[in-house]
Amino acid sequence: LPNNSILAVVGDFDPAEVWKGLEDHLGEWKAVGAHTFPLPVSPSRTGRKIRLLDKPDLTQTEIRIGLLGIERKSQDFFPLLLLNHVLASSPASRLYTELRAKRGLTYGVNGKFYARRERGPFFIRTHTRNETTLETLQLLLKELERVRQEGISQEELDATRAYYKGSFPLGLETPSQIASQLLEQEFYGLPDDYLETYLEHLGAVTLEEVNQLARRFFNPDNMVIVLVGKASEVLEQVRGLGEVELRWP
């Protein structure tokens, strides 16, 4: 429906000709009903839940740690963007350094949050050998607790901010990239000057703001842990970490 659609046009064109073409091809496209849909509100989680999906043929365990994230319009977006990069979203992140570089427990680990119109998910994902599942999980939870209690350093914040300031223009090099950014801006109801002020918002984030968010956001005791692996080798390892629900495919 046109009242549920967004169109972005970016490039070297005559606006009058584009508008006429739209009227010719889409002029009969009629709006129907309300243009908004009620979205379910995701509840906050209290307590740690472990779900283990038994796959007896696996020699490695897939690990996901999830918790409720933020809305796209949240004032926490930029602090969380920087915080997550330090913790989990780059080869220089704390989790990658601890699990991959120092201990060789996995080939990779990363964290990502999906900020949507309502609160989206945040998750950390990695994998490890069945016999090192508990060690890997304990390290993940330890690092989450460490960043919660100690925060990050000014040096980490400055380096991450510099990375995003350098990479941001690379996402606006082509008309296609600009169109995608404008669609996102419109869809999430961001301010018209969002792209123009992006770097300004990055620069305004303070260390205190980031570390307050870490204390509030990363609570290892209120999250869901999903494991896909060989239950006969994994189940007893993880029983001490929380309530375990065993499932079969």
Side-chain angles (χ1 to χ4, degrees):
L1 300 175
N3 47 323
N4 292 326
S5 303
I6 304 169
L7 174 67
V9 182
V10 177
D12 183 10
F13 58 83
D14 183 337
E17 289 184 5
V18 171
W19 189 254
K20 182 179 184 305
L22 292 174
E23 289 184 327
D24 291 344
H25 292 283
L26 302 177
E28 299 302 317
W29 194 20
K30 300 301 182 183
V32 178
H35 71 282
T36 59
F37 296 98
L39 298 173
V41 178
S42 299
S44 297
R45 174 156 195 90
T46 302
R48 183 188 298 165
K49 176 77 173 182
I50 302 174
R51 292 176 178 168
L52 171 58
L53 178 64
D54 184 24
K55 293 282 287 182
D57 57 324
L58 296 185
T59 59
Q60 295 195 18
T61 302
E62 285 289 334
I63 298 172
R64 303 292 185 270
I65 294 180
L67 51 85
L68 194 58
I70 61 172
E71 300 174 13
R72 184 61 181 82
K73 294 173 67 174
S74 170
Q75 63 182 5
D76 292 331
F77 178 83
F78 285 99
L80 184 55
L81 182 71
L82 299 172
L83 174 59
N84 180 56
H85 189 83
V86 173
L87 177 68
S89 73
S90 81
S93 69
R94 290 185 177 186
L95 290 182
Y96 191 95
T97 300
E98 285 297 321
L99 272 68
R100 172 73 171 110
K102 290 184 178 180
R103 303 174 190 269
L105 291 170
T106 181
Y107 286 110
V109 56
N110 72 289
K112 189 170 185 178
F113 67 98
Y114 292 92
R116 297 173 174 164
R117 292 176 72 173
E118 296 294 337
R119 295 179 68 184
F122 171 86
F123 68 86
I124 294 170
R125 64 183 180 186
T126 189
H127 57 273
T128 191
R129 302 183 307 279
N130 289 340
E131 60 268 25
T132 55
T133 299
L134 177 59
E135 181 183 1
T136 301
L137 276 172
Q138 288 175 328
L139 281 170
L140 288 170
L141 296 174
K142 178 182 177 181
E143 286 301 315
L144 287 172
E145 185 62 29
R146 183 166 79 93
V147 77
R148 183 186 181 205
Q149 296 294 334
E150 303 174 8
I152 67 173
S153 68
Q154 187 66 53
E155 182 180 6
E156 289 175 313
L157 176 60
D158 291 343
T160 301
R161 197 193 330 261
Y163 166 79
Y164 278 105
K165 284 186 174 182
S167 62
F168 175 70
L170 302 179
L172 296 169
E173 291 185 321
T174 68
S176 175
Q177 289 174 318
I178 295 171
S180 295
Q181 292 282 359
L182 291 175
L183 283 174
E184 181 176 328
Q185 177 178 301
E186 181 68 20
F187 181 80
Y188 291 113
L190 301 172
D192 290 340
D193 64 349
Y194 174 76
L195 294 177
E196 287 80 6
T197 59
Y198 185 94
L199 297 179
E200 180 182 325
H201 284 296
L202 276 178
V205 176
T206 67
L207 183 63
E208 180 181 7
E209 191 177 6
V210 171
N211 288 340
Q212 285 180 348
L213 177 61
R215 287 191 291 272
R216 177 163 48 89
F217 189 78
F218 289 121
N219 187 346
D221 295 326
N222 294 328
M223 57 180 52
V224 176
I225 299 173
V226 177
L227 307 172
V228 180
K230 189 174 182 179
S232 62
E233 297 182 2
V234 173
L235 179 58
E236 291 305 317
Q237 293 186 58
V238 302
R239 282 194 186 278
L241 297 180
E243 177 189 355
V244 181
E245 175 185 332
L246 181 60
R247 295 187 177 187
W248 293 267

